[in-house]
Amino acid sequence: MPEETSILLRMRGRVQGVGFRPVVFRLAHELELRGWVRNDAAGAEVALAGRAERIARFRAELPGRLPAAADIQSVEERPAPADFPAGFEIRTSATADGARVAGILPDLATCPDCLREIFDPRDRRYRYPFANCTHCGPRYSLIESLPYDRANTTMRGFRMCPACEAEYRDPRNRRFHAQPNACPVCGPSLSWTRADGTVLAEGDEALLAAAAALRDGKIAAVKGIGGFHLMAAARDAAAVRRLRARKKRDEKPLALMFPSLEAIRAACEVSEPERKWLESQAAPIVLLEKRAGAKDLADEIAPGLPWIGAMLPYAPLHHLLMSELGFPVVATSGNLTDEPICTDNDEARARLGEIADFFLMHDRPIARPMDDSVLAVCGGEPLMMRRGRGLSPHSLPLSGAPDGWVAAGAQMKSAVALTVGGNAVTSPHIGDLDHEGAARLWERAVADLTGLHGLKPVAAAVDLHPGYASTQGASAWGVPIAGVQHHHAHVAACMAENGLAGPVLGIAWDGTGLGTDGTIWGGEFLVCTRAEFRRVAWLRPFPLVGGDAAAREPRRAALGVLREMGSNHVPPGCSKAELSVLDGMLAEGFNVVRTSSAGRLFDAVASLLGVCQKMSHEGQAAMRLEALAGNMPAEAYPFAWSGDALDWGPMVSAMLSSGEPAALAAARFHATLAEMMVAAARRAGLRDVCLSGGCFQNRRLLATATKRLEEEGFRVGRHREIPPNDAGICLGQLAVAAARA
């Protein structure tokens, strides 16, 4: 007989909760190999004994057999165990002390097989809103600890019936070891209630009642995978207005859920990359251009903007509900504006009772809140706005830091990150920490991220701003703390994502960040390595009057720009009485700060062009300016150097004196900013340029800057996996801290 050999493989990556062990089991049986597979703290262990050529075939064929969501990042060979079973088996998960570095899987959209079952009258899961298998369904929103076994999830309270148990034990079944496995007999169930908890319907009748209410113009709070949505018919302008008024969300765009891709195409332009993202397992909200003449969408969905945030159903409940309706619905986060999303039934009734007319609930607990992910496509590649359900947690390689370093993140669009197993693992979107609920969620996110990986914080990286809730929160851990300048962290995040060590020219443009000189930065050109930075250029600073009010009222930024230029021009929308007060504050230096912020420069130009004078949500002025510019070709305005400052004064003077249409002026403004970047890159003389900061959520700015820099021979690093906004700060903080170590 051919001589046998044996081997033990430790596999790291996304190998838990994705059907990895069943694939290994079936392949080993096909090749007549003995041994076992089991989850462990690092990922999975596979022990193999048999003929050497068959073990070689196993290793060669396994990558091609993996489920779509699985990802083997590394394979480590260990000495083979002494004893092997007579066949091949799946063993109980191994437990061990120390860090648990196994990849934690995000929640996955319903797979085609489960979708077929819930619409098949002959299937025992017909119209069951919680069908799932090893290829799809909730994951991170269920996990309470690792390894990923049912007893460690919020499904442990649902005991599988004999039929589900048989599927779970059958290696030939796609539900083999599917931890959330359930059916109508043994799994979670629906209820339709009033805000006071009165149950009006249950099971499928609850779903039908929800569909009827939405058709009738009612607002429903619908519990999904990571929390509640507030839903209303997108074609019903009155219902959308009521939702806005009750939610206290004046003009910020509302996300829509469509019943099908065809329905999205009827309302929006959809490119091939956008289609792939819409239909991906992550099923994010994708920003799409609204199709001219699109019908059945209320104007109140996205006032003043040509884009719609669209998504497809991603849970069986959504598929069933949308199939009943056949038209798009608003599917916005179940919260008051700026509050965390609701996850608990009682909490939802208390917090959303003044917003929703009815509640469609289920009894499966949610371990942690998960907002929907949001992205756009720029240059055929993703531009992340928010990583949440379906795309978080997220892991990127980051060497140099021991396990247990925690990055506290920023104040706005907060997220946190943890070093574990040579990676930086970033949390889902948390929100703006100005709100008390989000600050509590920040603490919970840190506890979740560290606890799931079996770690405690051993060191912290924080923003230099002492007033940030994240900076203050980390100081309570009693561990060494490293302060990282805000814009250095932006650039370092882009460097880490693109595998760059530097030096690079980092262009960090955003709304605000505390500079090392005590002023407010935001239009920065930094020569960076991961460990150090040097500020080599910046946008010409100007005064902002009124502190936080200046960030909400673009006319205040416009006033600062005009007065910095020596102009007595009156900003649009500014009354004589208000102008007198603001000019008096400027003269006395009362509640006035100076800033180099590109974000506030966007605000100023939006005001001067009559686009926006007061903002109801962050970034509104810049978004409207981007929308106004559209795809119009335009030449840059003049600009100049003033020492190390790029002077926008000639641009603003030309803009105000040209008499050009506002749309052309907006387009020329974007072109000028790109040329400023080229000028700074030429002066710095470095080949690699990294673009980061919230201003690079602007697709026209990002595309134009990238194109012009590449035309001039520079290599451009941009964000694709991590948002360029402050959600990416945590990755940059860890990258800087690791490099300094």
Side-chain angles (χ1 to χ4, degrees), residues 37-54:
V37 59
R38 67 178 180 181
N39 289 340
D40 67 7
E45 287 184 345
V46 181
L48 299 169
R51 290 160 50 182
E53 67 271 18
R54 293 194 175 184

Side-chain angles (χ1 to χ4, degrees), residues 155-175:
M155 283 296 292
R156 65 180 175 274
F158 299 93
R159 184 174 180 178
M160 284 184 282
C161 67
C164 286
E165 184 77 23
E167 293 171 333
Y168 185 86
R169 301 297 177 191
D170 182 0
R172 297 175 297 275
N173 194 292
R174 76 176 194 282
R175 292 190 169 93

Side-chain angles (χ1 to χ4, degrees), residues 449-491:
L449 207 57
T450 54
L452 283 172
H453 288 284
L455 295 168
K456 292 183 178 179
V458 298
V462 303
D463 194 276
L464 292 180
H465 198 302
Y468 279 8
S470 55
T471 302
Q472 295 171 354
S475 67
W477 299 338
V479 300
I481 291 181
V484 180
Q485 198 279 326
H486 189 91
H487 300 94
H488 185 201
H490 268 308
V491 177

Side-chain angles (χ1 to χ4, degrees), residues 270-286:
V270 183
S271 68
E272 183 59 15
E274 289 165 340
R275 179 199 67 78
K276 288 181 178 179
W277 275 107
L278 286 165
E279 295 187 325
S280 70
Q281 286 189 302
I285 297 169
V286 181

Side-chain angles (χ1 to χ4, degrees), residues 430-694:
I430 297 170
D432 296 346
L433 303 187
D434 292 336
H435 190 278
E436 182 183 349
R440 289 196 302 269
L441 184 56
W442 177 89
E443 295 175 351
R444 182 175 169 185
V446 172
D448 269 347
L449 207 57
T450 54
L452 283 172
H453 288 284
L455 295 168
K456 292 183 178 179
V458 298
V462 303
D463 194 276
L464 292 180
H465 198 302
Y468 279 8
S470 55
T471 302
Q472 295 171 354
S475 67
W477 299 338
V479 300
I481 291 181
V484 180
Q485 198 279 326
H486 189 91
H487 300 94
H488 185 201
H490 268 308
V491 177
C494 190
M495 294 173 70
E497 184 177 333
N498 289 276
L500 299 173
V504 306
L505 176 67
I507 303 179
W509 283 13
D510 61 5
T512 181
L514 181 63
T516 54
D517 60 0
T519 65
I520 302 302
W521 292 3
E524 310 312 307
F525 299 88
L526 310 175
V527 171
C528 295
T529 63
R530 295 197 191 185
E532 306 291 342
F533 79 94
R534 179 167 51 92
R535 191 186 191 207
V536 295
W538 49 89
L539 295 180
R540 177 183 176 182
F542 60 93
L544 281 176
V545 185
D548 290 343
R552 299 189 297 269
E553 299 179 11
R555 65 179 184 271
R556 293 182 182 237
L559 177 67
V561 161
L562 292 169
R563 298 301 181 260
E564 180 70 17
M565 294 169 58
S567 169
N568 291 320
H569 190 85
V570 179
C574 195
S575 68
K576 288 185 178 179
E578 184 181 27
L579 181 64
S580 176
V581 171
L582 295 178
D583 273 336
M585 293 172 67
L586 269 175
E588 295 177 8
F590 176 72
N591 202 13
V592 175
V593 297
R594 291 188 64 79
T595 184
S596 57
S597 168
R600 299 291 80 83
L601 184 61
F602 265 93
D603 292 349
V605 171
S607 171
L608 294 172
L609 295 180
V611 173
C612 184
Q613 305 304 337
K614 285 189 176 182
M615 294 193 291
S616 67
H617 60 89
E618 185 195 8
Q620 183 178 18
M623 291 166 65
R624 289 192 171 183
L625 201 60
E626 178 188 0
L628 183 64
N631 297 315
M632 182 183 299
E635 295 182 356
Y637 286 118
F639 62 91
W641 283 99
S642 177
D644 292 326
L646 276 160
D647 187 359
W648 37 257
M651 173 188 70
V652 174
S653 295
M655 183 186 300
L656 294 176
S657 62
S658 68
E660 295 170 334
L664 177 57
R668 294 190 68 184
F669 170 66
H670 283 79
T672 308
L673 296 181
E675 293 307 319
M676 286 179 168
M677 295 184 212
V678 170
R682 286 177 182 150
R683 183 190 253 204
L686 296 171
R687 187 177 180 190
D688 289 312
V689 179
C690 287
L691 309 178
S692 191

